[in-house]
Amino acid sequence: MARAKLDNRKRVRDRPRMMKTLVMVGLGGALGASLRFLWGVSVMRLTGPSEFPVAIMMANVLGSFLMGAFVVFAAHRGLTHLSPFVMTGLLGGFTTFSAFSLETVTLMERGDVGAAGLYVALSVGLTIAGLMLGLWLTRGLLL
């Protein structure tokens, strides 16, 4: 019973910290999504309209590079407390591919290459299947 009271007090004490983190993720996400939109418009103006999603591919590569750079920089400079804003929010809003890339490389660096390969295959395959299912079901309902 005493442990339950301590756990409950800790949860109540951590609520403001969680709210601050949530706000930072939200602000970073809004900024990242806005930057992705501006990036797409800028690339289209520079290259012209294209059937191939050049802007999205470039955003994915740039976002993945920036996430890798931030992970090392933050760890060496003691700035990991900025991770929710920068990694989850800003870079997650700019491109969700950067988080996917980080998780894959983390598994590889841990020596779990099989899990990394499975993660890549399942992530790509299942997300494409999920999108196709969503298209199919919604078209069936609306058309």
Side-chain angles (χ1 to χ4, degrees):
M1 184 66 153
R3 182 168 173 83
K5 285 184 180 181
L6 287 175
D7 288 343
N8 192 36
R9 281 189 232 147
K10 184 179 184 315
R11 273 189 241 133
V12 170
R13 192 176 63 240
D14 287 344
R15 283 184 188 150
R17 186 179 315 143
M18 176 57 88
M19 287 305 299
K20 178 183 172 191
T21 301
L22 186 61
V23 168
M24 296 309 293
V25 168
L27 291 173
L31 182 58
S34 298
L35 289 171
R36 180 179 57 214
F37 173 77
L38 293 173
W39 175 266
V41 169
S42 300
V43 170
M44 189 185 75
R45 286 185 179 163
L46 288 172
T47 64
S50 173
E51 294 289 321
F52 189 79
V54 175
I56 298 299
M57 183 184 69
M58 291 172 63
N60 285 336
V61 172
L62 178 60
S64 294
F65 169 80
L66 292 173
M67 184 165 294
F70 179 78
V71 165
V72 173
F73 181 79
H76 284 270
R77 303 278 192 224
L79 298 173
T80 56
H81 64 281
L82 297 176
S83 292
F85 174 75
V86 175
M87 292 174 60
T88 307
L90 182 67
L91 295 174
F94 187 67
T95 171
T96 57
F97 214 84
S98 56
F100 166 76
S101 300
L102 177 64
E103 294 296 333
T104 302
V105 171
T106 299
L107 287 168
M108 290 168 51
E109 286 182 341
R110 290 181 184 159
D112 205 346
V113 177
L118 182 63
Y119 177 66
V120 168
L122 288 174
S123 293
V124 173
L126 292 175
T127 56
I128 290 172
L131 183 118
M132 291 171 68
L133 181 62
L135 289 171
W136 180 72
L137 288 174
T138 306
R139 284 176 180 156
L141 291 173
L142 298 178
L143 301 177

